[in-house]
């Protein structure tokens, strides 16, 4: 059976028109916000690179791979839009229907049997809704809809670039590489995928948090974007929302203590909080340990073992498997023993000799460069000095703790290179810029370029 052609012929004629429109709007933004700024160059280059990534992902998916989740989201979005407006406003309640109920509705009313079951997932359904919304502006075309996904992802990464480049203007080119021009971000984070939505939402969430809580800019728009982006992340990938919100909450506490002007009071407050925490741990230690052993550890181990079994069932390519996690037992010792392997898998794999496909090779080359840079920093700057800098500089600490926590989650539950290179995307900009800061700043945080 021949693969379905989702890219319509008319999209190739409309593509230059859409690109012209996007760059025309960008030109207006440049005149309004960046007329006399070096940032305008990066805005044009970054948008151009992102649009190239969106087009490349769409063409590769259609004509080379000819299958993938991207088509499920796209066709699911078209179906959702058709359901909504075929009987409007009767079907308006579909907007708020739980995923499981919508999945049952979809099976009864849709003809696309390939999507049956997938629309019962909250993340899949939400991504399909976003695709359906963007298809309004793209004449139901797969290629043109991909451009809007890339545009949203770029908006979030641009916000991060703006924040970090203003903090470290001397490192603006390094910052652009980390947030705008990483190959994996340009390719995997530019198509009709959950990853594109997550990149955009992470950028808006972090930038709004930083401006509102750290720089104290009281703006209702920032609050709206905080809530909206957190909701988007929760709807698409719950674990990303929980991870980044946990790390931001930790940063908020650290920032609170750092904001105390009196050095003696700051240290006293820190000591009191520390000992208060120790007292709570001692008092409730039995309950905490019991909870960890009976619930959290079992949940983690079940998740890991379930992911392993699912992968073993559907995997047909042994060369694409991350098989070095091994068996994991339902106890905290077993889980902790796997953490170093999980972090290595998420940050540095696939290795270059493990790449069997062109798109995986691209990620493998990127991983190799990041791994070498990581080792070089520890050797050049010193192991102890590097870790002192990590735990004494707020931005570096945030990048580190988010990258490590997320790497543990991904490394423990992902066993396929194709999935890994996509799931690790949120780590890449933060981890790579953390390396830049570790190398190009001194202990006091001053740039030493």
């Amino acid at each position: 059976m021949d693969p379905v052609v989702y890219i319509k012929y008319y999209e190739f004629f409309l593509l230059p028109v859409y690109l012209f429109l996007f760059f025309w709007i960008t030109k207006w933004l440049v005149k309004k916000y960046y007329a006399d700024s070096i940032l305008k160059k990066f805005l044009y280059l970054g948008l151009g690179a992102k649009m190239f990534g969106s087009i490349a992902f769409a063409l590769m998916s259609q004509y080379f791979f000819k299958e993938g989740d991207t088509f499920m989201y796209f066709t699911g979005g078209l179906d959702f839009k058709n359901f909504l407006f075929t009987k409007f406003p009767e079907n308006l309640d579909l907007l708020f229907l739980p995923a499981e109920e919508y999945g049952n509705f979809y099976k009864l009313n849709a003809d696309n049997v390939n999507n049956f079951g997938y629309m019962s997932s909250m993340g899949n359904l939400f991504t399909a809704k976003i695709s359906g919304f963007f298809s309004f502006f793209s004449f139901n075309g797969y290629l043109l809809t991909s451009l809007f996904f890339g545009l949203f992802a770029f908006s979030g990464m641009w916000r991060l670039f703006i924040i970090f480049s203003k903090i470290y203007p001397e490192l603006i080119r390094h910052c652009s590489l980390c947030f705008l021009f990483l190959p994996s971000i340009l390719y995997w984070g530019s198509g009709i995928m959950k990853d594109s939505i997550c990149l955009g939402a992470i950028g808006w969430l972090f930038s709004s948090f930083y401006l509102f809580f750290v720089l104290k800019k009281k703006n209702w728009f920032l609050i709206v974007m905080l809530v909206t982006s957190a909701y988007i992340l929760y709807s698409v990938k719950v674990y990303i929302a929980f991870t980044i919100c946990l790390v931001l909450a930790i940063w908020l506490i650290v920032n609170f203590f750092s904001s105390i002007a009196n050095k003696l009071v700051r240290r006293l407050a820190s000591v009191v909080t520390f000992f208060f925490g120790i007292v709570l741990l001692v008092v409730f230690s039995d309950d905490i340990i019991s909870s960890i052993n009976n619930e959290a550890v079992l949940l983690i181990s079940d998740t890991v073992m379930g992911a392993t079994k699912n992968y073993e069932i559907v995997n047909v390519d042994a060369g694409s498997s991350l098989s070095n996690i091994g068996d994991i037992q339902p106890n905290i010792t077993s889980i902790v023993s796997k953490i170093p392997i999980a972090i290595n898998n998420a940050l540095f794999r696939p290795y270059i000799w493990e790449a069997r496909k062109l798109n995986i090779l691209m990620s493998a080359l990127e991983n190799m460069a990041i791994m070498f840079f990581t080792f070089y920093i520890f050797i050049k700057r010193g192991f102890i000095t590097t870790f002192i800098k990590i735990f004494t500089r707020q931005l570096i600490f945030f990048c580190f703790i988010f990258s490590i926590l997320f790497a543990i989650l991904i490394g423990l539950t992902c066993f396929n290179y194709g999935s890994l290179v996509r799931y690790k995307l949120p780590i890449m900009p933060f981890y790579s810029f953390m390396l830049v800061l570790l190398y190009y700043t001194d202990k006091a945080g001053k740039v030493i370029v």
Side-chain angles (χ1 to χ4, degrees):
M1 182 178 180
D2 294 332
V4 179
V5 179
Y6 297 97
I7 298 180
K8 310 299 189 297
Y9 71 90
Y10 60 80
E11 293 188 78
F12 293 104
F13 295 100
L14 289 175
L15 181 61
V17 178
Y18 276 73
L19 293 177
F20 173 81
L21 179 62
F22 289 164
F23 278 93
W24 182 80
I25 296 174
T26 302
K27 185 177 180 180
W28 175 80
L29 292 173
V30 166
K31 287 183 177 180
K32 186 171 182 180
Y33 297 107
Y34 311 113
D36 301 318
S37 172
I38 191 177
L39 293 174
K40 64 182 179 182
K41 176 178 70 174
F42 293 100
L43 181 56
Y44 284 126
L45 291 175
L47 179 61
K50 197 64 174 177
M51 292 298 95
F52 177 81
S54 294
I55 296 169
F57 183 88
L59 294 179
M60 288 287 287
S61 298
Q62 176 67 86
Y63 298 112
F64 186 77
F65 298 108
K66 301 177 182 179
E67 61 181 1
D69 293 347
T70 179
F71 299 125
M72 178 264 291
Y73 301 132
F74 176 66
T75 56
L78 295 181
D79 290 337
F80 183 86
K81 187 176 66 174
N82 291 334
F83 292 147
L84 191 62
F85 289 99
T86 299
K87 294 183 179 181
F88 189 83
E90 294 179 44
N91 284 349
L92 196 61
D93 63 322
L94 292 179
L95 287 171
F96 313 101
L97 206 63
E100 187 173 349
E101 293 182 29
Y102 178 81
N104 296 329
F105 172 87
Y106 190 86
K107 288 181 180 179
L108 294 175
N109 295 274
D111 298 324
N112 194 348
V113 295
N114 292 328
N115 289 351
F116 286 3
Y118 290 103
M119 291 298 110
S120 297
S121 164
M122 179 174 66
N124 292 343
L125 176 58
F126 190 85
T127 305
K129 289 179 180 179
I130 297 296
S131 179
F133 173 75
F134 285 147
S135 69
F136 270 112
F137 311 100
S138 59
F139 298 95
N140 295 336
Y142 173 78
L143 177 60
L144 299 180
T145 302
S146 298
L147 296 182
F148 285 96
F149 271 77
L151 194 64
F152 178 72
F154 175 75
S155 71
M157 291 298 99
W158 176 256
R159 293 276 294 184
L160 288 177
F161 168 70
I162 291 294
I163 292 292
F164 282 93
S165 63
K166 286 185 177 179
I167 300 173
Y168 298 100
E170 303 92 340
L171 300 175
I172 188 170
R173 287 178 175 80
H174 305 80
C175 187
S176 68
L177 175 62
C178 297
F179 294 100
L180 304 180
F181 301 117
L182 280 179
S184 58
I185 298 293
L186 290 178
Y187 181 77
W188 294 106
S190 299
I192 303 177
M193 298 291 286
K194 292 180 181 180
D195 314 285
S196 304
I197 298 175
C198 290
L199 284 176
I202 287 173
W204 281 98
L205 177 62
F206 173 83
S207 59
S208 300
F209 170 89
Y210 187 82
L211 291 172
F212 189 86
F213 289 105
V214 179
L215 297 187
K216 310 297 182 182
K217 292 189 177 182
K218 305 305 179 184
N219 187 322
W220 281 107
F221 174 77
L222 298 177
I223 294 295
V224 171
M225 292 313 302
L226 263 174
V227 175
T228 302
S229 53
Y231 172 75
I232 291 174
L233 283 174
Y234 175 80
S235 300
V236 179
K237 292 188 177 182
V238 176
Y239 63 90
I240 296 182
F242 283 148
T243 303
I244 194 169
C245 287
L246 172 63
V247 176
L248 290 177
I250 294 173
W251 190 3
L252 200 61
I253 295 172
V254 173
N255 185 64
F256 169 76
F257 286 113
S258 301
S259 64
I260 300 176
N262 189 294
K263 191 174 183 179
L264 179 61
V265 174
R266 182 171 65 249
R267 290 184 174 179
L268 182 62
S270 302
V271 171
V272 170
T273 303
F274 175 76
F275 279 106
F276 182 70
I278 294 297
V279 170
L280 288 178
L281 286 175
V282 172
V283 172
F284 297 102
S285 60
D286 292 338
D287 293 333
I288 293 173
I289 294 174
S290 176
S291 176
I292 290 176
N293 286 332
N294 295 332
E295 297 178 18
V297 169
L298 288 176
L299 177 61
I300 294 172
S301 60
D302 288 346
T303 301
V304 175
M305 289 187 288
T308 306
K309 290 178 181 178
N310 290 337
Y311 177 72
E312 290 173 348
I313 292 172
V314 303
N315 181 46
V316 294
D317 182 7
S320 67
S321 171
L322 287 88
S323 57
N324 63 337
I325 286 290
D327 295 330
I328 187 167
Q329 302 302 317
N331 60 73
I332 195 168
T333 303
S334 177
I335 293 174
V336 171
S337 69
K338 305 299 182 182
I339 286 179
I341 301 175
I343 293 174
N344 174 72
N345 286 348
L347 293 180
F348 306 128
R349 294 185 74 186
Y351 304 131
I352 191 168
W353 57 86
E354 295 173 324
R356 300 289 189 271
K357 299 178 181 178
L358 179 61
N359 53 359
I360 302 299
L361 177 61
M362 175 187 67
S363 297
L365 291 171
E366 185 179 77
N367 293 339
M368 183 177 66
I370 290 177
M371 181 171 61
F372 283 165
F373 193 26
T374 300
F375 290 142
Y376 181 74
I377 287 173
F378 277 100
I379 295 172
K380 182 75 173 180
R381 301 303 184 202
F383 188 86
I384 296 177
T385 301
T386 299
F387 270 99
I388 289 176
K389 193 184 296 184
I390 288 174
F391 288 99
T392 55
R393 308 304 305 168
Q394 287 190 27
L395 274 177
I396 298 178
F397 178 72
F398 166 79
C399 292
F400 173 78
I401 196 69
F402 175 72
S403 299
I404 295 302
L405 287 177
F406 202 83
I408 293 172
L409 286 174
I410 298 304
L412 285 176
T413 57
C414 185
F415 303 96
N416 174 273
Y417 294 141
S419 300
L420 179 66
V421 296
R422 291 187 290 109
Y423 292 170
K424 66 191 286 186
L425 286 186
I427 299 175
M428 302 305 290
F430 292 105
Y431 184 78
S432 57
F433 196 65
M434 179 196 74
L435 296 179
V436 169
L437 294 180
L438 288 174
Y439 185 78
Y440 288 105
T441 61
D442 59 18
K443 293 182 179 179
K446 295 181 179 179
V447 176
I448 53 177
V449 177

